[in-house]
Amino acid sequence: MMHKIYVTRKIPQQGLDLLKRYAEVKIWEGELPPPRDILRKEIREVDGILTLLTDRIDKEILGAAKNLKVIGNYAVGFDNIDIDEATRRGIVVTNTPGVLTETTADLAFALMMAVGRNIVRGDRYVREGNWKTWEPMLLLGMDINEATLGIIGMGRIGQALARRAFGFNMRILYYDEYNIQEAERSFNAKKVSLEELLQVSDYISIHAPLTPSTRNMIGSKEFSMMRKEAILINTSRGLLVDEAALIEALERGTIAGAGLDVFQEEPIGKDHPLCRLPNVVLVPHIGSASYHTRTKMALMAAGSIIETLTGKRPENIVNPEVLA
Ligand code: DGY
């Protein structure tokens, strides 16, 4: 009998084609995530499910699944899934590490440049008809070259950002529980305490996963340690930053600006307090959003579902103890 797989949103066709070669596939065609009652109903009979970070796969949803063997999350982050519960139920969970590293680092770097050099502000200025002449003091920003970049979390994406920063002649500091010798050797990165990183960096970019210990790791105390010129970049998960404290720090001039791809609650609407601040650049969680990368993510998520269902061990398993 053919396996059954549910896909919670349209993903690039190559991923769907791969799944269809091995299984009966049902796709939620809505533009928004499937409502919880639909998710609960659809998960009941399937062997595999391909989920997005917008699907909360918690105890209640997992409790409805009768045959589920694998959850292929179409993201490197998997904080939307109750991993302990999935493990308890013997369900394999996979993610999409590696394939989106460079694309996400590109976006983090683009946000640094956009905020530091007033690119979005400048664009608005021109479009709104404010540009009268070349002015010596118009839209002065912060240099990228020779600035100090503090990277919180020197994993794959942090290192990819360090490589870009090194090419721009930046001084690189990092905070991580491990010593990342490769980054120290290749990019002259220096491991420091979080306090030191916050106190001396011109740009601070967050590249840590969301876990109970990283939740709200940047709050009022941390903002108060930063330089007035500091610019915060976040392309990881919004919940690592206390958003109310960030807004206060931006309003009071405790820090100079922020470039954000992720938010405490997504999506944010046009009335969100962040949208009123001139010194931020906001994008809608598009870190991995390139044609090429999203296709690779689709193939990886689909591939690991198929591998699991055909009795193989997917390389990108998040809870390997399930197969031990
Ligand atoms: C991820 O993969 O975790 C990103 O947030 C979306 O690509």
Side-chain angles (χ1 to χ4, degrees):
M1 223 181 48
M2 251 188 146
H3 292 299
K4 287 190 181 146
I5 295 174
Y6 187 62
V7 181
T8 65
R9 211 89 59 81
K10 269 196 154 154
I11 57 165
Q13 193 58 40
Q14 288 94 323
L16 297 175
D17 291 345
L18 177 59
L19 290 174
K20 285 178 186 166
R21 287 221 293 273
Y22 295 88
E24 198 182 295
V25 181
K26 185 166 177 191
I27 304 160
W28 170 253
E29 301 280 349
E31 270 178 34
L32 296 178
R36 281 182 73 78
D37 56 327
I38 299 280
L39 203 52
R40 212 182 297 116
K41 175 171 150 281
E42 296 293 352
I43 208 168
R44 194 164 298 152
E45 308 295 338
V46 293
D47 306 284
I49 185 165
L50 192 148
T51 53
L52 272 58
L53 53 87
T54 42
D55 304 311
R56 191 157 48 82
I57 308 296
D58 55 15
K59 224 180 208 156
E60 192 218 341
I61 294 290
L62 289 170
K66 288 201 258 162
N67 301 324
L68 194 67
K69 292 166 198 69
V70 54
I71 304 169
N73 209 37
Y74 181 72
V76 66
F78 44 83
D79 45 279
N80 56 310
I81 301 172
D82 185 336
I83 302 294
D84 290 343
E85 183 64 14
T87 306
R88 212 179 57 74
R89 292 174 176 271
I91 299 166
V92 167
V93 180
T94 65
N95 66 342
T96 60
V99 291
L100 47 71
T101 300
E102 301 296 330
T103 304
T104 308
D106 280 349
L107 188 84
F109 208 84
L111 284 173
M112 271 170 51
M113 300 197 88
V115 183
R117 293 302 310 276
N118 290 314
I119 292 174
V120 178
R121 261 185 181 177
D123 179 81
R124 243 181 266 135
Y125 186 83
V126 174
R127 285 171 200 263
E128 288 169 4
N130 297 319
W131 191 21
K132 303 288 183 288
T133 181
W134 187 89
E135 285 180 54
M137 303 303 274
L138 177 63
L139 289 171
L140 303 188
M142 297 275 296
D143 275 327
I144 309 290
N145 69 85
E146 294 187 355
T148 298
L149 167 64
I151 298 179
I152 299 179
M154 198 53 128
R156 277 180 290 251
I157 300 173
Q159 288 176 55
L161 182 67
R163 184 167 353 102
R164 285 155 180 73
F166 186 67
F168 273 70
N169 209 15
M170 295 183 90
R171 173 173 169 241
I172 302 161
L173 305 179
Y174 74 98
Y175 169 67
D176 196 288
E177 89 184 82
Y178 301 104
N179 292 335
I180 313 295
Q181 276 155 10
E182 170 57 20
E184 295 179 10
R185 231 185 349 257
S186 305
F187 316 126
N188 221 1
K190 183 171 169 231
K191 185 175 171 182
V192 292
S193 65
L194 182 59
E195 288 69 25
E196 183 177 347
L197 183 146
L198 298 173
Q199 282 162 358
V200 304
S201 299
D202 299 303
Y203 293 89
I204 296 169
S205 193
I206 307 177
H207 298 284
L210 175 62
T211 65
S213 63
T214 60
R215 206 180 174 99
N216 278 333
M217 75 181 287
I218 305 297
S220 338
K221 178 169 144 248
E222 287 70 27
F223 285 117
S224 71
M225 291 183 203
M226 294 182 193
R227 305 182 61 231
K228 274 209 322 289
E229 298 79 11
I231 290 171
L232 179 77
I233 305 298
N234 192 4
T235 54
S236 60
R237 286 291 182 268
L239 286 166
L240 273 79
V241 176
D242 174 343
E243 211 162 82
L246 169 64
I247 293 166
E248 194 179 308
L250 289 163
E251 280 172 347
R252 291 195 173 169
T254 312
I255 65 169
L260 306 172
D261 182 40
V262 290
F263 304 86
Q264 209 168 282
E265 260 182 52
E266 297 176 7
I268 63 166
K270 63 181 173 41
D271 295 326
H272 193 282
L274 282 167
C275 295
R276 290 197 288 272
L277 299 174
N279 46 348
V280 297
V281 172
L282 309 170
V283 287
H285 205 149
I286 54 169
S288 62
S290 75
Y291 290 110
H292 192 53
T293 290
R294 288 283 164 88
T295 300
K296 286 193 286 183
M297 288 166 67
L299 286 169
M300 190 173 212
S304 30
I305 291 176
I306 301 302
E307 276 170 356
T308 310
L309 294 181
T310 54
K312 298 188 193 87
R313 184 184 194 281
E315 216 177 281
N316 47 327
I317 184 169
V318 164
N319 53 349
E321 57 277 29
V322 164
L323 299 182

